[in-house]
């Protein structure tokens, strides 16, 4: 079976490479010529642990190829996946123009019966729209070709995408034609050696499942951030509260971490899109709106903590803050809607200088942050901390876990540590001579210890 993956980004490249790893023959197509040329030269355009290895292995074994040419790619394609972007429009609703354009391109070049599978996160009803776009294009061409449209949303997590893809928790197949669903089941059969994880449903429910899953996860994050805000005021410790509630099997430990607010290319836009879809159908979404409001507030929490801390020390204006981590989460170079962007912009506005470092996201961050002399791009976390009045941990990369704080502290001007991810032990940081301020945990003032 020959699989065509239209869109070779985080989802398309990872799922395409994983299909090849499972033995399928895959062509990954993209309209971005530079990206495809890089891939053809063996350069992986994104950072994702384990990806380079499986891409290279499958290219070598001729199961994985890259192209920009729809016509030749569609000559022998059996199943065509769409994994193109679905960003937010200005009103928050989902922009499906990339889907429409990709579906139109497929329809204008397809030569034989085919299954078109939507992997992008799309509003409920998009499969039907894709179907009618393809029908129209085939009619315009004056050809009759049978086809099916399936919804197969993707649940991989950036940073663990290859593992998620090779060992998915579940596969959702939204199919209105049971025969097409059987073909998809065959494609995913190598993933089901242990037990069946496939749920077959109608396309509308499949599309909705993806949004409901992301909304649930975002809700847990905002819930914990709100609990953290209360903890901070009443003197409780959210780290203890998290363990206390996570031990309840009805709640569980996952996604209970307070922090900088959710970011990335999925949760923010998907919550907005779900709110917009509900509005279109006159459904009120108080809960989802609150999730978003809490999240927007959370993105400014740490910069406010910093401003407040320095208000008793001459103000934040002219202070230097080391920023550890820029990507929206560890193990990815993705900077889309990263909380670091809000954090940096808030502190620049207040006259601070930011000495920034991220293990892999610096190139993408440079494209998204202003060219400002108050942003200093550093070599590593130690370089960033030099002469800094304080350090802010924004992304919990593993290399920041076991830092030797003695030389760090020695080269700093000030002694503040602002932990946006609650990575360190407050009393330990205090004993190392830091004023340690984190999320939902009582502050520990240790600067006088040194
Ligand atoms: N990134 C994630 O973690 C993740 C997880 C699950 C679902 N999703 C969803 O998957 C979809 C894709 O997300 P992504 O992060 O992979 O996006 P991405 O921006 O990384 O990649 C999309 C790719 O599609 C290409 N493209 C755009 N129009 C095209 C066209 N007409 N023909 C061929 N290629 C085209 C772009 O050049 C780009 O390389 C989105 O709907 C997203 O919500 C993303």
């Amino acid at each position: 079976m020959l699989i065509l993956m239209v869109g070779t980004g985080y989802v398309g490249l990872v799922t395409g490479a994983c299909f090849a790893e499972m033995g399928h023959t895959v062509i990954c197509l993209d309209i971005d010529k530079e990206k495809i040329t890089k891939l053809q030269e063996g350069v992986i355009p994104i950072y994702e642990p384990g990806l380079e290895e499986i891409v290279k292995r499958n290219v070598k074994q001729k199961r994985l190829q890259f192209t920009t040419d729809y016509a030749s790619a569609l000559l022998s394609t059996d199943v065509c996946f769409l994994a193109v972007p679905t960003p937010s429009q200005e009103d928050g609703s989902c922009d499906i123009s990339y889907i429409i354009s990709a579906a139109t391109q497929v329809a204008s070049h397809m030569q034989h019966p085919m299954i078109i599978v939507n992997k992008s996160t799309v509003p409920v009803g998009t499969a039907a729209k894709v179907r009618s776009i393809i029908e129209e294009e085939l009619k315009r061409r004056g050809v009759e070709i049978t086809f099916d449209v399936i919804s197969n949303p993707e649940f991989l997590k950036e940073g663990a995408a290859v593992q998620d893809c090779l060992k998915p928790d579940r596969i959702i197949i939204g199919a209105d034609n049971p025969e097409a669903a059987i073909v998809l089941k065959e494609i995913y059969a190598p993933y089901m050696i242990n037990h069946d994880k496939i749920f077959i449903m109608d396309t509308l429910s499949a599309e909705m499942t993806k949004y409901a899953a992301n909304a649930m996860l975002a809700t847990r994050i905002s819930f914990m951030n709100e609990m953290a805000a209360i903890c901070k005021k009443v003197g409780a410790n959210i780290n203890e509260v998290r363990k206390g509630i996570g031990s309840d099997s009805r709640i569980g430990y996952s996604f209970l971490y307070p922090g900088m607010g959710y970011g990335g290319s999925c949760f923010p836009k998907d919550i907005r899109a779900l709110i917009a879809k509900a509005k279109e159908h006159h459904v009120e979404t108080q809960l989802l709106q609150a999730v978003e409001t809490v999240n927007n507030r959370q993105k400014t929490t740490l910069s406010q903590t910093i401003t407040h801390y320095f208000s008793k020390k001459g103000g934040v204006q002219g202070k230097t803050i080391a920023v550890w981590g820029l990507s929206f989460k560890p193990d990815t170079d993705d900077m889309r809607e990263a909380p670091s962007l809000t954090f940096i912009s808030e502190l620049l506005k207040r006259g601070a200088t930011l000495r920034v470092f991220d293990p892999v996201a610096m190139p993408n961050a440079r494209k998204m942050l202003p060219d400002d002399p108050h942003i200093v791009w550093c070599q590593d976390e130690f370089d960033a901390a030099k002469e800094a009045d304080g350090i802010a941990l924004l992304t919990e990369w593993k290399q920041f876990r076991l830092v030797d704080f003695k030389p760090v502290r020695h080269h700093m001007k000030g002694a503040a540590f602002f932990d946006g991810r609650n990575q360190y032990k407050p009393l330990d940081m205090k004993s190392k001579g830091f004023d340690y301020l984190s999320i939902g945990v009582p502050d520990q003032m240790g600067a006088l210890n040194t």
Side-chain angles (χ1 to χ4, degrees):
M1 190 147 5
L2 197 139
I3 293 174
L4 173 62
M5 185 65 64
V6 174
T8 308
Y10 284 88
V11 168
L13 181 56
V14 173
T15 51
C18 289
F19 279 144
E21 182 76 356
M22 289 295 184
H24 296 298
T25 304
V26 182
I27 301 176
C28 283
L29 180 149
D30 207 287
I31 46 170
D32 184 338
K33 288 198 175 83
E34 203 185 316
K35 189 180 267 188
I36 292 300
T37 306
K38 268 190 185 170
L39 282 161
Q40 286 166 338
E41 290 166 353
V43 179
I44 311 298
I46 54 169
Y47 177 81
E48 195 55 56
L51 181 61
E52 184 164 358
E53 196 190 320
I54 64 163
V55 168
K56 290 198 166 155
R57 183 169 45 242
N58 286 285
V59 167
K60 201 168 162 201
Q61 292 172 355
K62 301 201 175 357
R63 282 197 300 264
L64 184 62
Q65 307 170 39
F66 302 99
T67 186
T68 53
D69 183 10
Y70 272 97
S72 65
L74 280 160
L75 280 179
S76 41
T77 296
D78 301 298
V79 179
C80 170
F81 285 81
L82 305 181
V84 294
T86 49
S88 280
Q89 311 210 71
E90 247 173 46
D91 65 355
S93 65
C94 179
D95 173 4
I96 60 162
S97 61
Y98 294 90
I99 291 281
I100 293 174
S101 152
T104 310
Q105 295 263 45
V106 170
S108 61
H109 292 100
M110 65 195 265
Q111 303 294 341
H112 55 262
M114 191 177 294
I115 298 177
I116 290 106
V117 187
N118 199 357
K119 224 174 208 328
S120 297
T121 304
V122 289
V124 178
T126 304
K129 221 167 253 172
V130 167
R131 193 172 299 125
S132 70
I133 286 161
I134 295 174
E135 271 164 6
E136 259 173 49
E137 180 59 22
L138 294 178
K139 203 168 151 197
R140 192 196 61 76
R141 283 174 59 198
V143 292
E144 263 183 47
I145 303 174
T146 53
F147 69 94
D148 280 289
V149 178
I150 281 191
S151 165
N152 171 221
E154 181 52 53
F155 294 92
L156 62 76
K157 301 182 286 296
E158 283 177 22
V162 171
Q163 274 317 303
D164 285 349
C165 225
L166 293 173
K167 290 187 178 163
D169 289 336
R170 79 299 212 183
I171 307 285
I172 302 288
I173 299 175
D176 300 326
N177 173 4
E179 281 172 30
I182 290 171
V183 176
L184 259 274
K185 271 186 95 168
E186 269 173 40
I187 290 180
Y188 282 110
Y191 298 78
M192 305 295 136
I193 303 296
N194 260 352
H195 59 280
D196 201 346
K197 305 167 194 167
I198 293 184
F199 295 90
I200 297 180
M201 55 185 80
D202 60 282
T203 51
L204 300 176
S205 304
E207 289 165 339
M208 184 66 193
T209 299
K210 174 65 190 177
Y211 281 101
N214 278 0
M216 180 75 210
L217 296 171
T219 302
R220 279 174 81 103
I221 294 174
S222 280
F223 175 83
M224 285 309 284
N225 282 332
E226 191 148 293
M227 291 303 114
I230 300 172
C231 283
K232 191 94 187 175
K233 288 288 176 198
V234 301
N237 183 332
I238 192 69
N239 294 339
E240 303 300 339
V241 174
R242 180 179 62 75
K243 289 182 235 162
I245 63 171
S247 54
D248 184 329
S249 60
R250 294 167 303 174
I251 297 174
Y253 288 105
S254 302
F255 264 80
L256 285 190
Y257 289 89
M260 300 290 299
Y262 60 77
S265 66
C266 293
F267 287 0
K269 77 163 173 72
D270 292 347
I271 304 309
R272 290 193 291 266
L274 188 53
I275 292 172
K277 182 50 98 177
K279 193 172 169 195
E280 195 186 307
H281 291 268
H282 310 288
V283 179
E284 285 188 24
T285 50
Q286 287 98 331
L287 181 58
L288 293 176
Q289 286 173 50
V291 167
E292 208 191 3
T293 305
V294 170
N295 196 57
N296 290 338
R297 189 176 67 203
Q298 194 66 19
K299 285 185 178 178
T300 64
T301 295
L302 201 67
S303 55
Q304 276 169 15
T305 300
I306 292 175
T307 307
H308 184 253
Y309 174 85
F310 285 113
S311 65
K312 296 162 214 145
K313 298 174 190 300
V316 77
Q317 167 107 28
K319 296 289 189 296
T320 298
I321 309 295
V323 176
W324 288 4
L326 296 167
S327 56
F328 83 96
K329 66 173 181 176
D331 292 324
T332 181
D333 59 353
D334 201 341
M335 282 296 297
R336 291 177 281 188
E337 302 212 30
S340 64
L341 298 171
T342 311
F343 175 87
I344 290 171
S345 126
E346 290 287 311
L347 286 173
L348 281 179
K349 264 191 266 168
R350 291 169 206 162
T353 292
L354 289 318
R355 292 180 61 81
V356 305
F357 169 70
D358 187 283
V360 303
M362 304 265 269
N364 283 344
R366 276 181 193 270
K367 291 180 210 152
M368 297 177 83
L369 285 165
D371 185 14
D372 187 315
H374 292 99
I375 301 178
V376 183
W377 300 88
C378 297
Q379 298 297 316
D380 55 31
E381 60 273 32
F382 298 99
D383 183 27
K386 271 181 202 155
E387 293 300 306
D389 295 283
I391 299 172
L393 177 84
L394 303 194
T395 317
E396 66 277 34
W397 284 92
K398 284 189 194 75
Q399 77 180 66
F400 302 147
R401 270 194 206 164
L402 283 176
V403 176
D404 181 359
F405 278 109
K406 211 169 172 190
V408 170
R409 175 77 185 80
H410 181 73
H411 288 108
M412 286 174 70
K413 203 191 309 164
F417 198 101
F418 307 100
D419 187 348
R421 300 289 179 176
N422 290 6
Q423 283 296 287
Y424 304 105
K425 293 197 171 76
L427 288 174
D428 192 35
M429 293 301 277
K430 178 181 178 180
S431 73
K432 290 185 164 112
F434 285 103
D435 285 344
Y436 178 78
L437 298 89
S438 52
I439 308 287
V441 177
D443 299 339
Q444 293 295 339
M445 297 302 172
L448 294 178
N449 290 351
T450 52

